[in-house]
Amino acid sequence: MSDKLYIYVLSDSIGETGEQVAKAAAAQFKDIDYRIKRFPYISEKEQILNIIQEAAGLNSIIVFTTVIEEIKETIIIECEKKDIEYVDIMSPLLGSFHNVLGNEPVHVPGTMRRLDERYFNRVAAIEFAVKYDDGKDSRGIKKADIVLIGVSRTSKTPLSMYLAHKNIKVANVPLVPEAPLPKELFDISPKRIMGLTANPIKLNEIRQERLKSLGLNNNASYANLDRILEELDYAEKIMKKLNCPVIDVSNKAVEESASIIMEIMRENDLI
């Protein structure tokens, strides 16, 4: 073919799908000279008319991906008026899905991209939870959506990771009587802090099991009941001072505790 082929890609979203399909098709032809012109976020008839007018004077094909019926109909009508070849990528697929599933598509543009954005936000939240786990870096306190505080083995890390999968950025800080408290905890709203506590007997059992799993003597002070009571007393005072909500995680699964935290966050307009 001597004349350059102009492939116009129109979309109600970013148009990446249409462009990739057009490139895949073009790759099947030898010595093809072509140019792709992508037009994303098409939403008005005037945009379509201007593009079709330009394409009419060239050796062109219109490729479009849209889930908005009005846009699709306008493109088809205008292409037929100008005798321009066109390809509707989405409609045959939507029709087939409808035939198999029996329900109607939502006809909302950009849905896949929003799903991708949620995925990347979730990955970022997980990375955040890892970076600011166990008080590693107190700078995360001000950046977090919520901060979990509590003594050791009150499910701070599992909860942080579970909430991260819900796209919530979580930092967690261990409360240890001998360790200085990060000043950043007093610089944020108490609504963004969640205190975690547990029954001392239950905590004693959990810590003893933890020591066993590490091959250590379970008589260490870490699992000593008096020491646990001291830590819990210290943590209670800190939580009262911060005036933050407190959850007893003793007999709760991570999912249950996370559900309570998210409900509190919703009540405080944090999510």
Side-chain angles (χ1 to χ4, degrees), residues 4-114:
K4 177 180 284 190
L5 175 64
Y6 289 85
I7 305 170
Y8 288 77
V9 177
L10 283 63
S11 177
D12 53 24
S13 185
I14 63 173
E16 187 175 15
T17 300
E19 181 172 350
Q20 292 304 315
V21 171
K23 284 181 177 178
Q28 296 298 312
F29 295 86
K30 293 181 179 179
D31 303 321
I32 183 174
D33 183 14
Y34 72 95
R35 179 185 172 191
I36 291 179
K37 301 184 75 173
R38 194 200 312 185
F39 297 85
Y41 304 113
I42 296 294
S43 60
E44 297 178 4
K45 184 176 181 179
E46 187 176 354
Q47 293 174 286
I48 297 168
L49 294 177
N50 290 336
I51 294 166
I52 300 295
Q53 184 64 39
E54 179 184 319
L58 300 168
N59 187 38
S60 63
I61 296 174
I62 302 290
V63 175
F64 63 93
T65 57
T66 181
V67 294
I68 301 174
E69 284 297 316
E70 295 85 349
I71 292 177
K72 181 186 79 171
E73 290 171 5
T74 300
I75 293 172
I76 292 172
I77 290 168
E78 295 304 319
C79 281
E80 291 181 346
K81 280 183 183 178
K82 300 291 185 181
D83 197 26
I84 299 173
E85 191 75 27
Y86 64 86
V87 181
D88 176 1
I89 292 176
M90 291 296 290
S91 291
L93 275 172
L94 291 175
S96 294
F97 273 68
H98 169 68
N99 292 339
V100 173
L101 298 174
N103 57 341
E104 294 293 332
V106 294
H107 294 294
V108 177
T111 307
M112 187 174 73
R113 184 163 180 81
R114 281 195 288 276

Side-chain angles (χ1 to χ4, degrees), residues 136-194:
K136 290 175 186 173
D137 186 344
S138 61
R139 291 176 297 180
I141 291 172
K142 290 187 176 181
K143 301 175 184 177
D145 295 320
I146 193 159
V147 181
L148 305 180
I149 61 172
V151 302
S152 177
R153 313 316 293 178
T154 49
S155 301
K156 295 187 300 299
T157 297
L159 273 168
S160 294
M161 296 307 298
Y162 186 91
L163 291 166
H165 279 83
K166 302 293 185 182
N167 291 3
I168 298 171
K169 293 188 295 182
V170 187
N172 74 73
V173 178
L175 297 181
V176 183
E178 295 80 13
L181 205 62
K183 61 180 180 59
E184 289 87 351
L185 280 174
F186 296 94
D187 294 335
I188 65 173
S189 167
K191 292 180 179 180
R192 290 173 52 205
I193 303 172
M194 191 65 58

Side-chain angles (χ1 to χ4, degrees), residues 10 22 51 88 105 119 128 132 135 151-152 202 222 260:
L10 283 63
I51 294 166
D88 176 1
Y119 168 77
F128 186 95
Y132 298 111
V151 302
S152 177
K202 184 71 173 177
Y222 176 73
I260 294 170

